[in-house]
Amino acid sequence: MFSDLGVRSVFGFWSLVFGFWSLVFGLWSLAKFRATFGKAQPFRSSGGTAARMDLNNQMINRREFIRNFGLTSAGLIILPNVAFSQSADPWKTEYPKILGRIKAPKFPKRDFLITKYGAKAVAGFDSREAINKAIDACSKAGGGRVVVPAGEFLTGAIRLKSNVNLHVSKGATLKFSMDPNAYLPIVHTRWEGMELMHLSPFIYAYEQTNVAITGEGTLDGQGKSFFWKWHGNPNYGGDPKVLSQRPARARLYEMMDKNVPVAERIFGLGHYLRPQFIQPYKCKNVLIEGVTIVDSPMWEVHPVLCENVIVRDLHISTHGPNNDGCDPESCKDVLIDNCFFDTGDDCIAIKSGRNNDGRRINVPTENIIVRNCTMKDGHGGITVGSEISGGVRNLFAHDCKMDSPNLDHALRVKNNASRGGLLENFYFKNITVGEVAHAVITIDFNYEEGAKGDFTPVVRNYVVDNLTSGKSKYAVDIQGLDKFPIYDVAISNSNFGVVENKSVIKNVKGLKLNNVTVEGKRVDSL
């Protein structure tokens, strides 16, 4: 008869053997899958009929592959992420690697004053041409700072170029025009996770390297005075019978669903899709630092398909419709540091494309660090979703404070079966929550379309440590779908203060609590 030690040894041995062969089979299956069907190419923006047919064929073949190997969608997604989620302490092994790769761009010590190119701090004078001339001259000279001096300057769309730092000095305000013509010509952009040709974002860069917006000045989008009414909501001065974004949004949705090439998705004047405020697109080495942003038309800071991004020391205060604070989308190596958010929507919302467009482009947002930020009003403090069909992985957030009766959720994930997308390896620690209106931690697969869709929403390896909250309706609200549960949520060393209702837990596998208290009582379940 085996001793206890012997039993444990034998059990451990066969567990290792089983785990080894499971891993081998998983890797072999993945290799065969990739060899047979190829790998999606990043940054591909459009394709013709043949490309769409090939995409449809690949999707059918993938489903056949899954059936032939007897693997369900859930079986594929729960293969172990050995290299990352099982490491001893990702804060010690992975976090330093990500932070070490993120570097601020450097610029030559040359200044280009916009007033020397014709800009005037005079009411009604349009300085757009002068500002863009200064940017062109700076870039052609090898780079430097384009300086906005103290004063109020009216402008339209600003186009950043490589090696240019747009420096908005203390006491300076760039006030953006309420004339939609000021944002022509149309550009390749992304709106709510869908690609199109549309009005330029207020400050835009496309395929540039080493770009920055810095300074202690103010960027004023005049959204409340003009752009917010395009939403169509009477609460923001709109009248859906007169003008609204809804018809254009539905048309863009249809184009996305049909995989219409982006070059043919032409919008612009008269479609009432509000432009984003700041959008570097397919750029490398991006710095947005120090400025104050007010009255944005829509999303404020929206890097898309960018690499090595720093968003630091911003003060964002804008309460319009869809006024997200910072939305990195399909980006890699992102630092959001010491920012203040007081917004009309999510303070931070990490994204990777909506539905067909997210799957077609297939570029996740990965390696994100959020630290030392303060969140007041908003829908969510640190949110992932909902446009996340390309996936999100490796998010670290620490030492953040969130507190407002008008903040719905502190930590939030929103997904559904229309989006799909693999969301994994989220780590939070040292999060201080005063008050939120709904739940401190929310993971919701019922968002918008909910179970209506053919794509698998996945959340796994969601880890929270040392969180404290003062007041909320629920401690946590975690809801997967019947067919698609949420995997591996761990909460440790955390205290939820005043809680009105019992937590909501539906379709969750692997919820673990360690040293968690609710209203002063230690709990083993929620």
Side-chain angles (χ1 to χ4, degrees):
M1 193 171 218
F2 289 114
S3 66
D4 289 343
L5 178 61
V7 170
R8 288 197 298 268
S9 299
V10 170
F11 179 79
F13 170 77
W14 286 111
S15 296
L16 287 172
V17 169
F18 177 78
F20 172 77
W21 286 111
S22 296
L23 178 60
V24 169
F25 177 75
L27 293 174
W28 175 82
S29 299
L30 181 60
K32 185 168 181 65
F33 178 80
R34 287 180 171 174
T36 305
F37 304 116
K39 184 178 180 181
Q41 296 299 314
F43 302 156
R44 182 178 294 163
S45 61
S46 61
T49 302
R52 293 197 298 274
M53 291 176 64
D54 181 64
L55 175 65
N56 292 333
N57 289 335
Q58 287 188 33
M59 290 175 67
I60 293 169
N61 288 336
R62 285 169 179 155
R63 289 194 290 269
E64 290 175 350
F65 170 83
I66 291 168
R67 285 198 302 269
N68 289 341
F69 280 89
L71 297 173
T72 66
S73 297
L76 280 173
I77 61 175
I78 60 173
L79 287 173
N81 187 355
V82 175
F84 192 86
S85 64
Q86 293 185 3
S87 61
D89 184 353
W91 288 99
K92 294 180 180 178
T93 60
E94 305 301 327
Y95 178 95
K97 295 177 187 176
I98 296 170
L99 190 60
R101 288 194 300 267
I102 301 173
K103 306 288 185 184
K106 296 181 179 180
F107 301 91
K109 293 183 179 180
R110 282 190 290 261
D111 284 353
F112 296 77
L113 198 63
I114 63 169
T115 50
K116 290 187 177 180
Y117 292 84
K120 297 179 181 179
V122 175
F125 184 85
D126 187 355
S127 295
R128 175 188 180 185
E129 183 178 356
I131 294 170
N132 284 300
K133 279 184 177 179
I135 289 171
D136 289 345
C138 179
S139 184
K140 288 177 182 177
R145 294 196 314 174
V146 170
V147 178
V148 181
E152 185 175 282
F153 296 86
L154 180 67
T155 184
I158 295 172
R159 187 77 175 255
L160 285 180
K161 296 189 175 180
S162 292
N163 302 310
V164 172
N165 174 6
L166 178 64
H167 185 79
V168 187
S169 303
K170 186 175 183 179
T173 297
L174 283 176
K175 182 166 281 192
F176 287 83
S177 174
M178 294 186 287
D179 179 3
N181 290 283
Y183 306 99
L184 293 173
I186 61 174
V187 299
H188 185 145
T189 183
R190 205 184 275 200
W191 196 90
E192 286 194 351
M194 300 174 282
E195 290 194 308
L196 73 164
M197 305 299 297
H198 187 47
L199 298 177
S200 173
F202 287 1
I203 304 177
Y204 178 72
Y206 189 81
E207 293 185 337
Q208 303 299 302
T209 301
N210 301 332
V211 293
I213 303 166
T214 65
E216 298 178 63
T218 298
L219 306 175
D220 182 354
Q222 300 200 89
K224 186 175 182 179
S225 300
F226 182 71
F227 285 101
W228 291 0
K229 64 184 179 182
W230 284 16
H231 184 273
N233 188 331
N235 293 331
Y236 300 104
D239 183 351
K241 296 180 181 178
V242 177
L243 60 85
S244 172
Q245 69 182 20
R246 293 173 189 172
R249 186 178 188 268
R251 178 170 167 252
L252 178 57
Y253 236 106
E254 182 180 8
M255 289 180 162
M256 174 193 66
D257 286 342
K258 293 181 177 179
N259 291 310
V260 173
V262 177
E264 298 175 17
R265 303 181 192 182
I266 299 173
F267 289 77
L269 296 175
H271 292 281
Y272 307 117
L273 299 176
R274 291 157 293 140
Q276 282 82 12
F277 209 129
I278 300 171
Q279 189 183 76
Y281 205 109
K282 295 186 182 179
C283 293
K284 290 185 177 181
N285 309 334
V286 176
L287 173 64
I288 303 169
E289 181 178 49
V291 294
T292 294
I293 300 174
V294 298
D295 276 358
S296 175
M298 197 176 158
W299 297 353
E300 278 92 29
V301 180
H302 183 213
V304 180
L305 293 165
C306 292
E307 185 173 343
N308 188 32
V309 177
I310 299 175
V311 178
R312 184 164 57 202
D313 298 333
L314 299 188
H315 189 285
I316 295 177
S317 181
T318 174
H319 283 75
N322 310 111
N323 272 193
D324 293 10
C326 182
D327 290 7
E329 186 166 6
S330 300
C331 292
K332 181 179 181 180
D333 293 341
V334 178
L335 173 64
I336 304 172
D337 187 14
N338 198 39
C339 294
F340 174 86
F341 298 97
D342 187 9
T343 66
D345 208 298
D346 292 316
C347 296
I348 294 172
I350 299 163
K351 303 177 182 289
S352 61
R354 180 187 292 261
N355 298 9
N356 279 4
D357 272 7
R359 290 183 285 271
R360 171 178 57 83
I361 298 167
N362 194 29
V363 177
T365 292
E366 58 185 334
N367 308 333
I368 316 106
I369 294 174
V370 180
R371 66 183 187 186
N372 306 317
C373 290
T374 300
M375 289 82 170
K376 301 298 285 186
D377 291 2
H379 291 182
I382 300 174
T383 297
V384 178
S386 73
E387 299 86 351
I388 37 69
S389 300
V392 176
R393 58 181 177 239
N394 310 342
L395 164 63
F396 292 83
H398 64 95
D399 296 289
C400 292
K401 297 179 180 179
M402 311 176 195
D403 183 16
S404 172
N406 299 314
L407 179 63
D408 296 334
H409 317 261
L411 308 179
R412 185 187 193 193
V413 175
K414 42 186 178 178
N415 199 354
N416 58 48
S418 289
R419 304 282 190 275
L422 172 59
L423 315 179
E424 64 178 351
N425 303 335
F426 297 171
Y427 299 92
F428 305 89
K429 72 176 182 179
N430 305 336
I431 305 296
T432 302
V433 180
E435 178 180 1
V436 293
H438 186 75
V440 181
I441 301 171
T442 299
I443 305 176
D444 183 14
F445 282 4
N446 294 296
Y447 185 79
E448 291 186 347
E449 294 94 334
K452 297 178 181 178
D454 299 324
F455 300 92
T456 303
V458 183
V459 169
R460 65 182 185 188
N461 200 33
Y462 191 101
V463 181
V464 180
D465 182 53
N466 194 30
L467 177 149
T468 61
S469 69
K471 181 181 179 182
S472 60
K473 187 174 183 180
Y474 303 95
V476 306
D477 182 354
I478 305 178
Q479 300 190 48
L481 300 174
D482 291 341
K483 294 182 180 179
F484 307 125
I486 293 162
Y487 293 92
D488 300 329
V489 177
I491 306 172
S492 61
N493 305 315
S494 296
N495 175 47
F496 300 90
V498 177
V499 176
E500 293 181 20
N501 298 315
K502 181 178 173 60
S503 292
V504 179
I505 308 291
K506 295 181 180 179
N507 300 312
V508 180
K509 292 187 177 181
L511 175 61
K512 297 179 181 179
L513 307 181
N514 178 32
N515 191 28
V516 173
T517 61
V518 177
E519 294 192 314
K521 296 179 181 179
R522 186 163 178 169
V523 297
D524 297 319
S525 63
L526 292 171

